[in-house]
Amino acid sequence: MKIAILGTRGIPNYYGGFEQFAEFFSVYLVEKGHEVYCYNSHNHKFQEKSFRGVEIIHKYDPEYKLGTFGQFIYDYNCIIDSRKRNFDIILQLGYTSNSIWCFLLPKKPIIITNMDGIEWKRSKYSKPVQQFLKFAERLAANSSDYLVSDSLGIERFLKERYRKESTYIAYGAYLFNNPIEEIIKQYEVEKNQYNMVMARFEPENNIDMVLEGVALNTENKTPILVIGNHQTKYGTYLKNKFKEYTHIRFLGAIYNLEHLNNLRYYSNIYFHGHSVGGTNPSLLEAMASQALIAAHNNDFNKGVLKNNAVYFSSSLEVKKILNSFKKNDNLQLIANNFEAIKNDFNWDKINGKYLQLFEESFSRNK
């Protein structure tokens, strides 16, 4: 099959979950003998024309000039280009800025869309933007040939709201069991003597709630590493708010997966504050890295972690967790999560499910 992947900043991953999935899945497809193209922003760090057998198509992306509006132009450029490529399948990752161009999609390819989370619930968006996202969500749900939901909650939502069936395929993670303690020393921390939180700096990821709990815990000065791009308005707000707390350390974004895996593995508590969306890739990676997880109390996180984490809904609960939850006392929870990655969320299985969907839809539409 000749396959295109749209909707990401591009590969290799320098941004987030969809980019990481696009990287792993596209390479997997090439290894299975398919012809694969991935669209990249023109200013992506990787400027070669192919990546591990995947053809890279760079298209102009003015987001760096125009902010969010630039994403719409980038997606438009990608979709217009796709019209001349004679693809068999186009996989769209998300719908936020590409679904308004659905009428421009080429007619021949099968359109498969991963619907991401319920984007209009994100608190960073104003009411008008949330209304637009609802509209975009409906367009994507109705214009795609097949839908993919990355959590059972999203699958239920699509069925109830749009009466649309979707294929449930979660994200995946690679098992990590080759720790190198020397790596964490570069970050000036010691084994099991620090906590961490990792997320995009957005209100619904509850970094603020976690750090409030750390600040309330005046007698416990265990370092907490805050990982994510903080060069944003919200990041500046949080850095200013917690600047007096020297044990709260803002490290910025880290894309070196080996470093991230080691930091998660050797941490005492890994806080996962995400409250909107489906199966979050960083959560699966924390499970695969044998981290002890404290997660925000919501159905998305519980659907993945079940009883193998402790949950919080307030900064006071974060404070209590810091005082009572220790890695060495909860090794069974860690083992259960590691087993879940091995059996349910491993990349080979996830990639295989996507490929099965592609093959079935392709043969059905011949």
Side-chain angles (χ1 to χ4, degrees):
M1 292 177 285
K2 186 175 180 180
I3 298 164
I5 299 176
L6 279 75
T8 79
R9 268 79 168 179
I11 64 170
N13 174 32
Y14 288 99
Y15 186 74
F18 269 150
E19 285 75 13
Q20 182 153 296
F21 165 65
E23 178 181 333
F24 291 157
F25 183 50
S26 60
V27 171
Y28 171 87
L29 287 172
V30 168
E31 289 170 352
K32 295 295 182 183
H34 300 286
E35 186 179 347
V36 186
Y37 295 76
C38 186
Y39 283 88
N40 278 29
S41 298
H42 78 283
N43 54 4
H44 192 280
K45 287 185 181 181
F46 186 80
Q47 286 292 309
E48 303 298 320
K49 292 186 177 179
S50 69
F51 172 78
R52 296 179 62 186
V54 181
E55 298 297 320
I56 304 297
I57 304 171
H58 288 93
K59 301 309 293 183
Y60 180 62
D61 177 3
E63 185 183 4
Y64 72 105
K65 279 186 185 175
L66 304 176
T68 302
F69 180 70
Q71 294 176 23
F72 291 88
I73 298 172
Y74 169 59
D75 284 330
Y76 170 83
N77 291 336
C78 295
I79 287 171
I80 291 298
D81 183 86
S82 74
R83 293 164 66 92
K84 60 187 180 186
R85 300 277 180 176
N86 201 31
F87 293 121
D88 295 310
I89 292 177
I90 291 177
L91 173 63
Q92 296 188 117
L93 297 176
Y95 61 83
T96 303
S97 52
N98 55 15
S99 67
I100 63 164
W101 308 118
C102 62
F103 65 96
L104 292 173
L105 283 164
K107 303 302 180 191
K108 175 185 175 277
I110 299 159
I111 308 300
I112 299 175
T113 303
N114 181 315
M115 291 295 286
D116 200 6
I118 307 171
E119 292 299 296
W120 50 266
K121 283 193 173 182
R122 295 189 186 276
S123 58
K124 67 177 181 178
Y125 297 125
S126 65
K127 291 292 182 188
V129 171
Q130 288 176 337
Q131 287 303 118
F132 167 77
L133 290 173
K134 283 185 183 180
F135 169 69
E137 180 183 81
R138 187 168 72 251
L139 282 177
N142 291 322
S143 64
S144 303
D145 296 307
Y146 298 92
L147 302 177
V148 174
S149 47
D150 64 42
S151 80
L152 294 172
I154 299 295
E155 183 185 36
R156 282 193 304 272
F157 171 80
L158 293 172
K159 197 167 188 176
E160 290 167 5
R161 192 174 186 91
Y162 301 108
R163 297 180 183 174
K164 292 284 184 180
E165 296 294 333
S166 62
T167 303
Y168 164 58
I169 311 176
Y171 284 106
Y174 285 118
L175 295 171
F176 176 73
N177 47 20
N178 297 301
I180 304 170
E181 196 170 343
E182 286 299 310
I183 286 176
I184 69 165
K185 291 181 179 175
Q186 298 177 38
Y187 298 91
E188 299 178 358
V189 287
E190 300 292 329
K191 172 182 174 181
N192 295 349
Q193 298 300 311
Y194 64 96
N195 303 312
M196 65 182 284
V197 58
M198 187 175 105
R200 282 194 207 150
F201 276 66
E202 297 174 353
E204 63 269 12
N205 290 339
N206 292 297
I207 299 172
D208 197 2
M209 183 185 293
V210 172
L211 299 184
E212 280 274 10
V214 172
L216 286 170
N217 203 3
T218 54
E219 294 177 10
N220 186 337
K221 300 296 184 186
T222 301
I224 183 164
L225 308 184
V226 188
I227 298 174
N229 177 20
H230 52 67
Q231 304 299 325
T232 63
K233 184 177 178 182
Y234 189 62
T236 301
Y237 161 74
L238 289 179
K239 284 185 290 183
N240 286 333
K241 180 174 180 178
F242 297 105
K243 63 184 176 184
E244 295 174 20
Y245 301 91
T246 54
H247 57 303
I248 296 177
R249 295 172 50 193
F250 292 88
L251 298 190
I254 298 173
Y255 294 108
N256 185 316
L257 196 54
E258 185 182 29
H259 283 217
L260 287 174
N261 285 337
N262 276 282
L263 285 168
R264 287 183 279 235
Y265 180 89
Y266 286 113
S267 65
N268 177 43
I269 304 172
Y270 178 94
F271 285 95
H272 181 77
H274 295 64
S275 61
V276 175
T279 307
N280 185 269
S282 64
L283 176 57
L284 298 181
E285 288 172 358
M287 294 164 68
S289 298
Q290 302 179 64
L292 178 63
I293 299 168
H296 184 269
N297 191 351
N298 62 70
D299 289 342
F300 296 113
N301 293 337
K302 285 185 166 180
V304 175
L305 291 161
K306 300 183 171 55
N307 295 321
N308 299 308
V310 66
Y311 295 96
F312 63 88
S313 301
S314 69
S315 53
L316 279 174
E317 289 175 351
V318 170
K319 178 185 175 183
K320 288 177 185 174
I321 288 167
L322 287 165
N323 288 328
S324 61
F325 200 49
K326 301 292 180 234
K327 186 163 196 171
N328 289 335
D329 299 333
N330 293 279
L331 298 180
Q332 190 58 55
L333 301 187
I334 295 167
N336 292 346
N337 283 330
F338 193 71
E339 210 49 34
I341 298 296
K342 186 190 290 185
N343 296 329
D344 302 320
F345 299 109
N346 68 80
W347 272 121
D348 287 339
K349 193 169 186 177
I350 300 306
N351 286 337
K353 285 183 177 180
Y354 267 96
L355 180 53
Q356 183 182 358
L357 172 62
F358 282 22
E359 289 172 340
E360 288 174 356
S361 61
F362 184 60
S363 61
R364 208 176 288 143
N365 285 269
K366 270 185 177 178

